[in-house]
Amino acid sequence: NPVAIMIAGNLSDQTVKNKTGKSSKEWHKILDKFRSKNHTEIAKFLREKHKVNPWWAQILTNRYEWVRGLRNS
């Protein structure tokens, strides 16, 4: 979703922490341990295991993919 991708890149880390309870760095450590490179699997993991709402699961997944070089655009 191009809109979610644009929004994900423009959110401050403080906003992420306020809305999800964890900083982007904390989420990235969790996702590194999860060890999936599949967008759908990552978002599902965030929703089901960590009870992140669907919108934030997408945002966190997009941010993680950018930081780890898994997303080109």
Side-chain angles (χ1 to χ4, degrees), residues 40-73:
T40 302
E41 288 177 4
I42 294 168
K44 182 178 179 182
F45 170 76
L46 290 169
R47 287 191 319 271
E48 293 180 359
K49 174 84 172 164
H50 294 278
K51 306 303 181 208
V52 174
N53 80 41
W55 191 85
W56 277 101
Q58 290 298 318
I59 296 301
L60 294 171
T61 301
N62 284 326
R63 287 172 73 103
Y64 177 73
E65 290 172 330
W66 284 333
V67 169
R68 295 299 186 254
L70 304 172
R71 178 176 284 279
N72 295 327
S73 58

Side-chain angles (χ1 to χ4, degrees), residues 25-43:
K25 188 174 182 177
E26 291 171 303
W27 284 118
H28 296 167
K29 286 181 183 180
I30 289 167
L31 294 175
D32 285 344
K33 289 179 185 175
F34 179 56
R35 294 186 166 196
S36 176
K37 293 181 181 176
N38 179 278
H39 181 95
T40 302
E41 288 177 4
I42 294 168

